[in-house]
Amino acid sequence: MDVTALLDGLNPPQRDAVAAPLNHQLVLAGAGSGKTRVLVHRIAWLMQIEHLSPGSILAVTFTNKAAKEMRQRIEDLTGISPRHLWIGTFHSLAHRLLRIHWQQANLPENFQIIDSDDQLRLIKRIVRAMNIDEKEFQPKQAQHYINSQKDEGLRAKHIQPFNDRWAQTMVTIYGAYEEACQRGGMVDFAELLLRAHELWLNQPEVLAQYQNRFRFILVDEFQDTNSIQYAWLRVLAGKVIPMMAVGDDDQSIYGWRGAKIENILQFSKDFAGAQEVKLEQNYRSTSNILNAANAVIDNNPSRLGKKLWTDGEAGEPIHLYQAFNEQDEARFICEQVEQWKINNSTKRYENIAILYRSNAQSRVLEEAFIRAALPYRIYGGQRFFDRLEIKNAMAYLRLMQNRHDDAALERVINVPARAIGEKTVQLLRDLARDEGSSLWQALMQGIEHKLLTPRALTSLSGFANLIAQMETTCSGIALHEQVDHVIKSSGLIEHHLKEKGEKAQTRLENLDELVTAARSFNMDEAIEKQLQNDVPDDALIQSPLAAFLDQSALDSGDTQADEFADSVQMMTLHSAKGLEFPLVFLAGVEEGLFPHKMSANDPERLEEERRLCYVGITRAMERLVISYAESRRLHGQENVNSPSRFIGEIPAEYMQEVRLKATIKKPVSNFFGTSAAKEATGMNIGQRVWHAKFGEGVILDMEGQGAQSRLQVSFDFDGTKWLVAAYAKLTAME
DNA sequence: GTTAAGGCATTTTTT
DNA sequence: ATGCCTTAAC
């Protein structure tokens, strides 16, 4: 193999990373610096130059989509089938391990993955069964508590809250939840990771097997790993497997979900002597856009330090539009899109993205696009397998697969209504709890010993027969026929037909779509993905139904229609990570919305919002249009917002204000900006300060210039206040 | 047991 | 404005 072919077209740091010896590596890769390229070339290098077999390489990605893309690009580059590479998300890799080693992981062979919705329902049931006050100890909070503990690697038995009644109750719920899951053979997302970690710790021979097998580990989006994910990697790598971590601290936007930027620093400590490479040359954006992004992110005090540069052209200034309200904003965007299309008639709509902070913003945009007859596609929102009707159908399938799946049983025992009410179900729950059995077992027992009213008994036997009937009919027929049969015989069609409005129609179409999804579900591919080399085969043969259920839980199922139609892409800033577009609109860049008011008073969360802004700006390749509305209707309420502080953080020289129809060539006045205020006060955002009356605090924002400079300070005890710098007499600390 | 009317909260999201 | 969930009436 010709070495140069793999290094051609790479810049020096990229080459350093790709052609490095087999040691630990930490690659800090800025936005648009060719990160994926380096990963793909590195894997190709390992296979072709270092002669590692595909089966000895493990690559972890953030999403299934990213995994798929990486496979494709490796195949395109090398011509080698990436089939034997272990590429996947932490969750899918953990899932694969647990399917293979279910016994060592102390799981039933047919364990099932439950999603967060099922998890919440289960927790709700537990909280109620324990007679815990739902107001004080909300199931949602309990869910969050449980997941965060699991993300930290802690089980209920590991936690000892002392005099904290709230935490004590949470731990109690956690423990009961663990038991319920174990009994029903249910595994939630966090549990996949936790079990996989425990598998390493408790089963040294399993760990040894994989330490023998893997010769190199690569981790993408390392800044978004949480504690348990990193722990899993660290144990696996041990002292024997070299690992390459690729990430960007400036693009860490999932802290609210347990992601730890600190893992980057920790990596350098844990794997001392790791080669560090910084990829700082940006190949994506014009220098105006890049400079603006740099200026914004520069306001974050806690950064590892990295400065993106480009030798590209300055390009157009960033356009800034002040709208009257959200309607006007949407109209303006439509007009800009039309204009762009006229000027670039050969280019496609899919080169355009509209990014916003929260999903609620998409509606107005959608309406405007419909009115303007412009093609669009909204990403995110509810996913296919999260839809009510789909979840119901899947619950029947799950119940067929595993009678002890309490979550599934609860979901459909009375959907469609078959006269099994809350009272009857509660009776079953009590019975199940006393016996330590599943709801299904309780149901059978109830029927057998006639423990219920005759009326309830009839309904219950009807339900039990229905499920048994389904299974009989479904044995031996194709997967999509099974799905079709279940949808029809369950009565779900009639049930949803009864709903009024257009919803009924959509729901039925979705159910149809589920049959289609089952038909196109490629069984061979699913098995192939699992049959990896020297793994005992019998551990991996799943029924088509079981494989389908697993996939539906783990894969977001981007089964949206017209995926390939040329359309403007609308999505949240979060889902835009990793993507790039020639033309990007950042909509709703207002205080309260972006940064979101929920994050505005906490310096750390504010930093994350700013990183989100950085991610948004750096998505743009050629043109960036930022808009904000003076007034915006949200939740049925009219709100007046000021432009986001992030706009003020972009130096005016890179911006130009835009009016509808005509462009006014007037630079933006920077009176609300931070740049001038920084000069005048000598302070910076994030600086800790002391005030004679309010005590200690942190600077969140600043505006104005000279003597008018004002500072927003979050005081440790007195909340957040705007102070005029000239009078406040703040003392810088630290 | 089923259905209809009021109360309440409402970031970001993959797995 | 909307959807979800609890509560009250059939």
Side-chain angles (χ1 to χ4, degrees):
Chain A
M1 178 67 202
D2 188 5
V3 173
T4 57
L6 287 180
L7 299 179
D8 264 1
L10 299 181
N11 65 30
Q14 288 176 335
R15 285 179 187 205
D16 285 348
V18 169
L22 297 188
N23 282 323
H24 298 305
Q25 295 171 275
L26 177 62
V27 179
L28 295 173
S33 65
K35 179 192 65 161
T36 310
R37 193 140 186 254
V38 165
L39 276 165
V40 168
H41 281 246
R42 179 65 170 155
I43 291 174
W45 178 275
L46 294 172
M47 294 194 297
Q48 299 187 323
I49 309 297
E50 300 283 356
H51 301 296
L52 298 190
S53 76
S56 67
I57 297 171
L58 175 70
V60 192
T61 59
F62 188 61
T63 62
N64 287 310
K65 196 172 149 207
K68 215 170 128 192
E69 190 188 325
M70 194 174 290
R71 279 179 188 282
Q72 188 60 53
R73 284 179 66 167
I74 290 166
E75 184 160 21
D76 291 347
L77 179 66
T78 63
I80 300 174
S81 160
R83 197 192 313 160
H84 295 291
L85 284 164
W86 278 52
I87 300 185
T89 60
F90 280 103
H91 291 88
S92 68
L93 294 167
H95 173 233
R96 183 190 286 172
L97 281 173
L98 295 179
R99 281 276 170 230
I100 299 170
H101 304 284
W102 55 273
Q103 277 168 312
Q104 289 113 316
N106 187 28
L107 283 169
E109 185 172 9
N110 64 348
F111 74 85
Q112 246 164 33
I113 301 167
I114 57 169
D115 63 19
S116 32
D117 191 66
D118 294 321
Q119 185 187 33
L120 183 60
R121 283 162 171 274
L122 178 54
I123 292 170
K124 253 184 206 158
R125 248 180 288 133
I126 289 167
V127 169
R128 277 175 203 166
M130 296 171 89
N131 276 322
I132 291 171
D133 179 13
E134 278 179 72
K135 288 263 157 55
E136 193 181 353
F137 308 98
Q138 291 171 15
K140 267 238 171 67
Q141 292 182 323
Q143 180 183 31
H144 182 253
Y145 180 87
I146 291 170
N147 288 336
S148 355
Q149 297 303 324
K150 286 189 178 184
D151 283 346
E152 292 298 318
L154 297 171
R155 294 212 171 273
K157 62 179 179 201
H158 297 134
I159 312 166
Q160 267 128 28
F162 291 93
N163 291 319
D164 187 340
R165 195 169 79 91
W166 188 83
Q168 280 165 354
T169 311
M170 286 296 148
V171 175
T172 316
I173 297 171
Y174 184 6
Y177 170 77
E178 276 180 321
E179 267 174 48
C181 285
Q182 184 66 35
R183 196 168 51 235
M186 293 177 290
V187 176
D188 62 46
F189 293 134
E191 184 74 24
L192 286 170
L193 305 172
L194 188 51
R195 289 256 177 180
H197 182 233
E198 288 169 348
L199 184 67
W200 290 160
L201 300 185
N202 301 336
Q203 311 287 335
E205 74 289 349
V206 175
L207 175 61
Q209 180 190 336
Y210 288 93
Q211 287 186 328
N212 261 326
R213 169 196 189 119
F214 294 124
R215 291 272 145 276
F216 204 86
I217 302 172
L218 304 94
V219 193
D220 194 12
E221 306 282 11
F222 191 70
Q223 76 283 353
D224 285 321
T225 53
N226 64 29
S227 300
I228 190 73
Q229 290 168 338
Y230 181 49
W232 181 83
L233 282 174
R234 208 171 34 210
V235 176
L236 173 62
K239 293 210 176 356
V240 289
I241 311 176
M243 171 154 62
M244 176 190 207
V246 181
D248 180 1
D249 57 313
D250 291 331
Q251 291 190 70
S252 163
I253 52 176
Y254 286 99
W256 49 276
R257 211 166 82 181
K260 291 267 189 320
I261 314 187
E262 304 85 36
N263 282 348
I264 296 181
L265 292 172
Q266 196 57 42
F267 184 88
S268 310
K269 286 181 199 155
D270 291 338
F271 300 94
Q275 173 204 29
E276 284 200 16
V277 178
K278 281 186 184 176
L279 304 180
E280 298 180 293
Q281 182 174 3
N282 174 293
Y283 296 98
R284 180 185 292 158
S285 312
T286 65
S287 71
N288 275 340
I289 292 170
L290 197 60
N291 289 343
N294 279 335
V296 170
I297 199 67
D298 205 32
N299 290 289
N300 270 1
S302 42
R303 298 178 60 209
L304 293 180
K306 184 166 38 58
K307 192 103 183 170
L308 279 181
W309 59 278
T310 174
D311 56 14
E313 294 170 15
E316 304 176 50
I318 293 166
H319 300 290
L320 180 67
Y321 179 68
Q322 176 185 46
F324 303 114
N325 54 30
E326 76 283 355
Q327 301 281 341
D328 179 36
E329 180 182 51
R331 245 191 331 263
F332 165 77
I333 291 175
C334 283
E335 211 159 303
Q336 290 277 307
V337 167
E338 283 166 345
Q339 200 59 50
W340 182 87
K341 186 68 177 168
I342 290 170
N343 296 336
N344 305 272
S345 53
T346 55
K347 292 196 183 153
R348 296 170 64 81
Y349 284 113
E350 65 195 11
N351 287 320
I352 307 173
I354 305 175
L355 310 181
Y356 35 80
R357 177 69 233 281
S358 68
N359 278 313
Q361 291 171 252
S362 67
R363 193 173 211 123
V364 186
L365 292 163
E366 179 171 21
E367 283 164 5
F369 268 68
I370 291 172
R371 247 178 281 130
L374 288 167
Y376 67 93
R377 175 171 182 232
I378 297 180
Y379 281 77
Q382 214 190 14
R383 278 161 312 188
F384 184 71
F385 285 104
D386 282 344
R387 300 196 156 111
L388 179 85
E389 60 278 16
I390 300 302
K391 298 217 73 170
N392 286 340
M394 296 302 283
Y396 277 104
L397 292 165
R398 278 164 53 183
L399 213 48
M400 257 171 48
Q401 179 70 25
N402 171 13
R403 291 304 132 90
H404 308 301
D405 189 334
D406 286 359
L409 186 138
E410 286 234 16
R411 179 178 267 280
V412 293
I413 192 166
N414 201 30
V415 175
R418 47 175 75 88
I420 302 172
E422 188 49 36
K423 229 172 122 187
T424 309
V425 176
Q426 189 53 49
L427 224 133
L428 293 181
R429 285 194 205 109
D430 292 343
L431 202 58
R433 196 192 43 199
D434 295 345
E435 297 289 316
S437 68
S438 67
L439 286 172
W440 179 266
Q441 287 168 318
L443 189 154
M444 296 316 267
Q445 204 185 11
I447 294 174
E448 197 182 332
H449 298 109
K450 301 220 168 12
L451 301 171
L452 297 110
T453 61
R455 197 186 136 137
L457 281 175
T458 321
S459 310
L460 287 178
S461 347
F463 178 68
N465 288 336
L466 175 68
I467 302 294
Q469 194 65 237
M470 276 180 183
E471 190 170 32
T472 317
T473 316
C474 284
S475 69
I477 61 175
L479 176 63
H480 72 271
E481 290 169 329
Q482 294 184 33
V483 175
D484 190 53
H485 174 256
V486 165
I487 289 172
K488 287 190 174 123
S489 62
S490 60
L492 281 176
I493 293 191
E494 292 81 3
H495 173 69
H496 288 301
L497 211 51
K498 268 193 284 186
E499 282 180 301
K500 35 193 172 299
E502 294 168 23
K503 244 182 207 161
Q505 193 53 42
T506 327
R507 294 220 149 122
L508 293 182
E509 282 167 16
N510 285 335
L511 286 173
D512 261 350
E513 188 61 37
L514 183 65
V515 179
T516 311
R519 189 181 283 124
S520 58
F521 177 68
N522 193 335
M523 185 54 200
D524 295 343
E525 193 191 352
I527 286 185
E528 202 167 58
K529 260 175 27 193
Q530 292 181 43
L531 284 179
Q532 304 279 338
N533 306 346
D534 50 353
V535 162
D537 285 8
D538 58 334
L540 290 165
I541 301 297
Q542 279 183 291
S543 72
L545 178 57
F548 184 62
L549 290 174
D550 278 344
Q551 200 215 265
S552 73
L554 277 176
D555 202 350
S556 58
D558 229 357
T559 327
Q560 286 205 23
D562 56 13
E563 195 179 339
F564 300 106
D566 179 33
S567 50
V568 175
Q569 319 281 300
M570 300 184 188
M571 66 190 86
T572 62
L573 287 151
H574 282 91
S575 31
K577 192 171 78 159
L579 305 176
E580 59 179 25
F581 306 90
L583 170 55
V584 168
F585 292 88
L586 286 187
V589 187
E590 297 138 37
E591 282 296 303
L593 197 59
F594 189 30
H596 198 275
K597 57 178 176 298
M598 307 291 260
S599 304
N601 289 324
D602 177 337
E604 277 186 25
R605 299 174 77 174
L606 196 50
E607 277 191 48
E608 185 155 307
E609 296 278 324
R610 190 172 280 109
R611 290 194 292 267
L612 196 53
C613 182
Y614 175 78
V615 167
I617 295 174
T618 52
R619 297 310 96 194
M621 301 163 81
E622 294 160 18
R623 177 192 281 197
L624 175 64
V625 183
I626 297 176
S627 56
Y628 61 93
E630 287 180 284
S631 119
R632 176 178 299 272
R633 205 178 180 75
L634 201 62
H635 311 310
Q637 278 241 301
E638 201 81 36
N639 297 296
V640 178
N641 296 320
S642 45
S644 169
R645 67 193 73 188
F646 300 147
I647 294 177
E649 290 168 9
I650 301 176
E653 50 180 309
Y654 306 125
M655 264 195 298
Q656 183 182 96
E657 233 175 320
V658 177
R659 291 284 145 80
L660 219 52
K661 302 232 158 56
T663 303
I664 298 163
K665 288 242 156 62
K666 178 193 85 170
V668 184
S669 69
N670 205 8
F671 76 94
F672 53 72
T674 49
S675 321
K678 242 193 257 181
E679 297 279 316
T681 59
M683 301 277 189
N684 205 346
I685 287 169
Q687 170 76 51
R688 275 196 82 75
V689 291
W690 183 83
H691 183 273
K693 184 167 166 209
F694 303 127
E696 281 188 41
V698 180
I699 298 183
L700 293 179
D701 194 14
M702 43 177 77
E703 62 173 33
Q705 50 193 320
Q708 276 80 51
S709 300
R710 301 200 311 143
L711 303 169
Q712 189 189 28
V713 185
S714 170
F715 290 103
D716 297 348
F717 299 106
D718 289 297
T720 304
K721 300 188 194 313
W722 277 102
L723 305 169
V724 177
Y727 301 111
K729 299 236 161 51
L730 291 168
T731 316
M733 301 186 59
E734 285 162 34

